C-alpha cells in the first residue's frame, strides 16, 4: 500500500496523471451524489471526469458495495459489438470463478432485435472459448434499463460496460448507457477503457 498526496486545481486531473505515471491498469473510485431526475445527478462531477479521461479501466463503487461473488454481467452494444471487451469480461469471470452473462439490448422486436441477436452470436463463441460458464440473451428496451433488469434477474453483482468516444488527444466522454448505469446500479460497475486488452493485474 503506497499512499500519495497530489495537489492541483482539478482533482480528476491529478488522479488521471497519477494513473498515467504509474502505468495503472485499474482506477478504483467511489460513486458520489444524490438521486435525481437525471442519472448523471447520481454521479459526482469529479467521478464522471475520471471515468471519461482515465487511461485505463475504472471500477466505480457505490456506497455499501461488496466484492462480487455471484455473477458478472456485461452489456454489448448491438450496433458496435466489442468482442475484445467481452473476452476481457470472460477472463475476469474465469479468474473469479463466477458465471458470465452477456446481454444485448434491442430497441424494438423487429429489425433491431435481429441485429442484437447477430451481435450476440458474434461475441458468445470467443467468450465461451475463454470461459465455458458463459450465457447470453437479447432483451428489448432501452439499453440501460435492460442492463439493470438483467443484473437484477441474474443476481449479477458486477456489471461491465465499455466506454465510448474520445481519446487522450480528443475530448473524451462517457456514453449515455454507461453514464446511466453508473448512476443507477446498486453493484460495482467496471468501465473498460478504449483499447482494453487485459484484465486488471
Amino acid at each position: 500500500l503506497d499512499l500519495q498526496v497530489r495537489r492541483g486545481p482539478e482533482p480528476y486531473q491529478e488522479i488521471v496523471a497519477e494513473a498515467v505515471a504509474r502505468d495503472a491498469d485499474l482506477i478504483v473510485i467511489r460513486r458520489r451524489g444524490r438521486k435525481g431526475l437525471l442519472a448523471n445527478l447520481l454521479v459526482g462531477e469529479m467521478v464522471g471526469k475520471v471515468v471519461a479521461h482515465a487511461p485505463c479501466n475504472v471500477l466505480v463503487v457505490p456506497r455499501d458495495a461488496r466484492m462480487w461473488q455471484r455473477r458478472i454481467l456485461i452489456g454489448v452494444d448491438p450496433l458496435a459489438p466489442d468482442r475484445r471487451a467481452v473476452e476481457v469480461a470472460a477472463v475476469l469471470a474465469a479468474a473469479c470463478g463466477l458465471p458470465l452473462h452477456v446481454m444485448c439490448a434491442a430497441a424494438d422486436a423487429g429489425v433491431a432485435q435481429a441485429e442484437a441477436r447477430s451481435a450476440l452470436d458474434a461475441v458468445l463463441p470467443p467468450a465461451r472459448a475463454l470461459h465455458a460458464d458463459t450465457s447470453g440473451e437479447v432483451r428489448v428496451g432501452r439499453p440501460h434499463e435492460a442492463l439493470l433488469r438483467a443484473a437484477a434477474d441474474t443476481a449479477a453483482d458486477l456489471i461491465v460496460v465499455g466506454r465510448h468516444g474520445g481519446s487522450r488527444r480528443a475530448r473524451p466522454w462517457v456514453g449515455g448507457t454507461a453514464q446511466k448505469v453508473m448512476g443507477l446500479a446498486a453493484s460495482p460497475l467496471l468501465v473498460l477503457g478504449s483499447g482494453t486488452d487485459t484484465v486488471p493485474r
Side-chain angles (χ1 to χ4, degrees), residues 48-158:
K49 288 182 177 180
V50 169
V51 174
H53 293 263
C56 57
N57 303 330
V58 181
L59 181 66
V60 182
V61 183
R63 184 183 298 274
D64 300 326
R66 297 174 179 267
M67 180 67 184
W68 46 94
Q69 53 187 343
R70 296 193 298 268
R71 186 182 306 272
I72 295 175
L73 169 69
I74 182 167
V76 174
D77 183 348
L79 300 181
D82 189 345
R83 170 176 165 173
R84 189 58 192 154
V86 177
E87 291 177 350
V88 169
V91 172
L92 179 60
C96 294
L98 299 175
L100 173 68
H101 191 65
V102 184
M103 197 283 301
C104 195
D108 57 60
V111 174
Q113 189 172 19
E115 291 176 341
R117 171 55 60 184
S118 177
L120 184 66
D121 290 343
V123 299
L124 274 181
R128 284 176 172 151
L130 293 167
H131 186 44
D133 194 1
T134 297
S135 58
E137 68 169 325
V138 171
R139 292 191 175 220
V140 176
R142 299 172 68 183
H144 76 281
E145 292 175 349
L147 193 58
L148 292 170
R149 284 198 307 270
D153 292 346
T154 63
D157 47 0
L158 174 65

Side-chain angles (χ1 to χ4, degrees), residues 15-36:
I15 294 171
V16 170
E18 186 74 9
V20 171
R22 292 181 176 271
D23 192 25
D25 56 3
L26 179 67
I27 295 173
V28 181
I29 193 164
R30 66 173 182 150
R31 185 180 70 190
R32 185 167 60 95
R34 296 179 179 178
K35 290 188 176 182

